[in-house]
DNA sequence: TTAATAAAGGACTTATTTATCCGTTATTTG
DNA sequence: CAAATAACGGATAAATAAGTCCTTTATTAA
């Protein structure tokens, strides 16, 4: 469904949000450990997230990654998926035709569109804030 | 969503079904051309489909690929996806955790499960026979 | 029974994704 | 200012997916 990079990205942003609510800034090492992802790869992903304004970062000692108040409230799953995986999830043809269109639909177009729209709706509706709740209450996990 | 191989596979089976209804057997070249897919790669995919009993094949002159009556009626999208991409689409965690479970769910588990179940239901309900109809009526396409 | 045909199958190449390494830059603290 | 720290950024490596090539096997029909 999502690329590995995107999966890691979502895990990371949720974790950073969780910690940001406690007013804590988190470093790469910690993020990689808590999300069970390869550190160097996660570094690349975080760079991309920073460039896309999804997370904020600070260099130097006491530096690290953080979600400011606005980011905590505004960032949705869709923003992360779009930043990392692009728009194929939202617009791409289920059978890989060059373009998904109503004019020349593939055989699964109608049925696939339903699924894709459902996914899109879910990604738009779900904020990182919401997801981070589960971590706080101990009802959801980012590893194993 | 699906691998390239799986996309090609679905296209191929729909096309073969379409032709089988006209009592026509189709060769690799024709399948590759009509589904706009690389011939040698399609050859590999068809081998796998034959091994999985999804399509039938005959060697030699007048040979080719065909869906017998039973296959035309029985084969669903789920059979193709499962044969080519395995069960990750149906059981895998949306955030790539080693296992999707109710006991230790990831933060998007509930929302993701809905989407995944919807997709699974659609794949189970949709027969190739149904999809091939669109080709006959000229309301759906396998290329462009 | 031989030549032609088409799928089967193994080995290989290419492209993309995933992942790592290491020097640079910015920031903090002593 | 100097030393330590942590993100940034470019280059590279490993793993997987996508795609190709070529020989073998089975079948048909002349
Ligand atoms: S054309 Fe294939 S999903 Fe729309
Ligand atoms: S645990 Fe992630 S989708 Fe179920």
């Amino acid at each position: 469904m999502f690329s590995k990079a995107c999966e890691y990205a979502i895990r990371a942003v949720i974790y950073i949000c969780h910690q940001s609510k406690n007013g804590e800034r988190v470093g790469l090492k910690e993020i990689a450990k808590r999300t069970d992802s390869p550190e160097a790869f996660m570094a690349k992903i975080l760079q991309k997230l920073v460039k896309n304004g999804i997370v904020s970062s600070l260099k130097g000692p006491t530096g690290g990654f953080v979600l400011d108040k606005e980011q905590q409230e505004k960032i949705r799953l869709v923003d992360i998926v779009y930043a990392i995986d692009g728009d194929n999830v939202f617009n791409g043809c289920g059978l890989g035709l060059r373009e998904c269109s109503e004019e020349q639909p593939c055989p699964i177009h109608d049925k696939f569109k339903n699924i894709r729209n459902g996914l899109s709706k879910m990604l738009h509706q779900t904020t990182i804030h919401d997801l981070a709740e589960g971590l706080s209450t101990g009802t959801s996990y980012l590893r194993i």
Side-chain angles (χ1 to χ4, degrees), chain A:
Chain A
M1 188 81 76
F2 308 123
S3 71
K4 219 70 190 137
C6 189
E7 292 173 353
Y8 292 147
I10 296 172
R11 293 196 227 170
V13 179
I14 293 173
Y15 181 68
I16 297 168
C17 182
H18 170 65
Q19 293 298 78
S20 293
K21 288 193 202 177
N22 305 337
E24 287 177 32
R25 196 170 292 164
V26 283
L28 168 63
K29 271 201 174 59
E30 183 182 345
I31 296 170
K33 197 165 291 178
R34 298 313 190 95
T35 60
D36 196 23
S37 46
E39 193 176 312
F41 192 33
M42 179 56 83
K44 290 298 177 202
I45 294 165
L46 288 168
Q47 278 180 34
K48 211 166 188 175
L49 291 173
V50 169
K51 273 192 188 159
N52 281 272
I54 290 167
V55 315
S56 303
S57 70
L58 291 148
K59 285 186 180 182
T62 76
F65 299 89
V66 72
L67 261 71
D68 62 40
K69 259 281 167 285
E70 192 182 340
Q71 286 167 332
Q72 288 178 37
E73 290 163 10
K74 293 262 172 68
I75 303 297
R76 303 155 297 167
L77 280 179
V78 65
D79 301 311
I80 304 173
V81 173
Y82 192 86
I84 306 292
D85 282 350
D87 73 338
N88 195 56
V89 184
F90 309 106
N91 301 321
C93 168
L95 294 189
L97 303 196
R98 270 189 277 283
E99 179 175 21
C100 168
S101 80
E102 299 291 340
E103 290 71 39
Q104 299 215 316
C106 75
I108 70 167
H109 175 78
D110 288 347
K111 292 160 189 281
F112 186 76
K113 206 174 58 172
N114 280 336
I115 306 298
R116 206 181 51 188
N117 286 349
L119 175 63
S120 179
K121 192 174 170 188
M122 183 274 268
L123 295 176
H124 276 86
Q125 285 175 344
T126 308
T127 67
I128 296 309
H129 173 85
D130 296 339
L131 299 175
E133 285 298 319
L135 288 192
S136 309
T137 60
T139 49
S140 71
Y141 304 81
L142 287 176
R143 40 176 309 158
I144 287 265

